[in-house]
Amino acid sequence: MRLTYAKKGGRLRLLEWQGREILRQEGIEVPQGEVVESPEAARAVAERLGKPVVLKAQVPVGGRGKAGGIRLAQSPEEAEALARQMLGSSLKGILVRKLLVVEAVEPKAEHYLGLTLDRRARVPLFLYSPKGGVDIEEVAKETPELLAKVHVPPLEGPLGFRLRRLFSLAPQHLRPALMEIARKLWSVFFRYEAHLVEINPLAEVDGKLLALDAKIIIDDDHSPGPQFAGLEEEVVDPLEAEARKLGMSYVRLDGDIGILGNGAGLVMATLDLVAQAGGRPANFLDIGGGARAERVKAGVELILRDGRAKVLFVNVFGGITRCDEVAKGLVEALSGKNIPVVIRLVGTNEEEGQRILASAGFFPVREMEEGAAKAVALAKEE
Ligand code: GDP
Ligand code: MN
């Protein structure tokens, strides 16, 4: 698989679906489901599962539940509608490109199980709590008596007596299953040279334990190493690769409104506005800072080449990027094309930019909300 992750001081946090795949391959049970990139695919998975599903935004941050990144759908139709809202929106400032669609389960209890490297002792440390599903730091602070910590020397491995101590807080009937999962986590921890392997919640469902979430943090030196061989390959989007070569960041989304802007934050806000106005972005395109006419032109061409955009919405805030350059690039790229265009262009050299646009017959909007509404209306007409 191509690893997508959050990078933080030499550490990589795998996305949930990747971590889940690793746990599954180790023989740890996970809920049935699949990762998807479109509302239609979300619907198909829900249809195949034939029961209510949970849609989970694949972003490398925790606390997704509270932020609206985990939603329950009762029917395939609802799964499709929710997926449409979630895909292409931003969650905690990160673009949601994939959803994990899994069968909804009714846990009887939620446990926590983690294995990390205790950096002070330089020894792997298992953590277990019968009170999972919540932030483990919170458990450590508020009910430390419900958090068990057991060091395991690497050369010794997870021997029975240590695991029995770890799970002394666990209900009797779950202890054998917990010990088996702990041993599997141990294997994963060493195979992937992980800093952290965590299952929270590890849910008790019908007397069995299911990993409802998977968090794996690895060292970026070791990734993607040979230990990742055999995991599902992710196809690299050729337009994405081309954009990167041109110094831009492009992501294909599922809608029909082409988006071009400068700065990841502004582009993300634009996607959100379009979604709020009832439209669906066809892509994310950040032309970067200080773009000259040439790069703007290349950006527009990328969106046109993709071919799914019925309308183009340009939202540029000129700072180091000059509005006249942007206007020049737009006019060059759009001359002779008959795609409807909505432009918001404010900031450095704005008057000159507006003049260039006007002489080519383009009349920009002032506010981005107005632009989003207009773009959505035009897309509906097309
Ligand atoms: P996180 O908040 O980013 O760590 O995301 P999690 O995957 O841990 O999910 C957060 C919470 O959503 C879990 O603690 C569960 O309580 C709940 N949840 C996730 N999947 C299911 C499910 O299939 N059924 C039910 N009932 N709750 C779920
Ligand atoms: Mn979790």
Side-chain angles (χ1 to χ4, degrees):
M1 70 184 157
R2 186 162 70 99
L3 295 162
T4 21
Y5 38 64
K7 199 162 178 170
K8 201 176 175 186
R11 308 269 170 99
L12 308 175
R13 176 172 174 161
L14 302 187
L15 291 173
E16 178 192 10
W17 72 269
Q18 299 170 317
R20 161 189 148 95
E21 184 60 21
I22 288 170
L23 296 184
R24 199 185 59 75
Q25 287 187 7
E26 199 62 36
I28 295 174
E29 277 202 65
V30 298
Q32 293 187 63
E34 270 174 57
V35 68
V36 302
E37 294 183 42
S38 75
E40 293 76 19
R43 182 198 184 105
V45 174
E47 260 160 17
R48 194 172 55 72
L49 292 175
K51 49 176 125 170
V53 293
V54 175
L55 294 109
K56 309 180 78 178
Q58 297 300 290
V59 291
V61 291
R64 291 168 300 168
K66 283 180 202 151
I70 296 180
R71 312 281 295 272
L72 176 70
Q74 297 293 348
S75 65
E77 294 71 35
E78 195 182 357
E80 180 173 348
L82 283 175
R84 187 156 285 142
Q85 281 175 28
M86 295 169 80
L87 287 165
S89 73
S90 63
L91 190 73
K92 298 188 157 189
I94 301 167
L95 180 63
V96 179
R97 307 173 55 175
K98 285 188 165 66
L99 298 175
L100 181 62
V101 182
V102 285
E103 56 175 330
V105 293
E106 283 306 324
K108 186 173 160 222
E110 297 193 329
H111 303 251
Y112 173 97
L113 182 60
L115 176 57
T116 186
L117 191 68
D118 180 353
R119 270 185 292 166
R120 234 178 323 153
R122 303 191 135 272
V123 173
L125 175 68
F126 268 112
L127 295 108
Y128 166 77
S129 173
K131 196 180 156 189
V134 290
D135 196 346
I136 199 63
E137 263 89 55
E138 215 169 278
V139 177
K141 213 165 65 192
E142 275 152 32
T143 46
E145 69 282 5
L146 290 181
L147 179 61
K149 298 183 182 184
V150 172
H151 284 106
V152 173
L155 293 178
E156 184 189 289
L159 296 180
F161 79 98
R162 296 206 191 267
L163 293 183
R164 277 193 289 278
R165 216 168 71 219
L166 179 68
F167 295 123
S168 60
L169 293 169
Q172 194 78 47
H173 70 283
L174 291 178
R175 287 183 198 172
L178 283 166
M179 287 175 65
E180 202 183 316
I181 294 174
R183 293 204 169 96
K184 288 173 176 163
L185 277 196
W186 181 267
S187 309
V188 167
F189 188 78
F190 283 92
R191 173 142 8 95
Y192 292 89
E193 300 174 72
H195 287 272
L196 173 75
V197 180
E198 183 188 272
I199 306 176
N200 184 29
L202 178 57
E204 183 182 356
V205 183
D206 303 331
K208 283 193 310 190
L209 289 170
L210 275 183
L212 280 203
D213 191 9
K215 177 174 173 183
I216 297 183
I217 296 180
I218 54 173
D219 214 286
D220 61 0
D221 305 340
H222 295 128
S223 150
Q227 68 267 51
F228 290 95
L231 287 179
E232 180 192 340
E233 275 294 327
E234 205 182 357
V235 183
V236 182
D237 190 321
L239 286 182
E240 233 167 272
E242 193 178 328
R244 204 167 310 144
K245 266 192 249 155
L246 296 164
M248 303 184 282
S249 159
Y250 176 90
V251 178
R252 194 191 294 265
L253 297 171
D254 200 51
D256 54 12
I257 300 177
I259 309 284
L260 182 152
N262 63 331
L266 181 68
V267 179
M268 208 86 86
T270 310
L271 297 179
D272 287 345
L273 282 175
V274 165
Q276 276 160 32
R280 294 168 64 195
N283 68 279
F284 168 104
L285 176 59
D286 172 11
I287 57 169
R292 306 295 299 269
E294 216 168 283
R295 205 193 301 162
V296 175
K297 181 167 178 259
V300 174
E301 284 167 355
L302 217 59
I303 293 176
L304 295 179
R305 189 128 43 89
D306 179 305
R308 290 162 316 125
K310 290 193 215 153
V311 176
L312 176 63
F313 181 21
V314 176
N315 187 9
V316 170
F317 189 86
I320 49 169
T321 308
R322 286 166 34 197
C323 291
D324 55 323
E325 285 289 327
V326 173
K328 248 187 256 169
L330 288 176
V331 170
E332 277 175 36
L334 290 167
S335 73
K337 304 285 186 311
N338 51 15
I339 184 170
V341 188
V342 178
I343 303 170
R344 173 190 179 246
L345 182 60
V346 295
T348 311
N349 283 6
E350 185 178 325
E351 288 77 24
E352 178 62 7
Q354 306 268 0
R355 200 192 54 71
I356 294 169
L357 288 178
S359 62
F362 296 108
F363 299 94
V365 297
R366 197 63 229 165
E367 304 295 339
M368 40 193 215
E369 289 78 6
E370 182 193 351
K374 208 166 162 183
V376 172
L378 284 168
K380 292 207 167 126
E381 268 172 39
E382 286 296 304

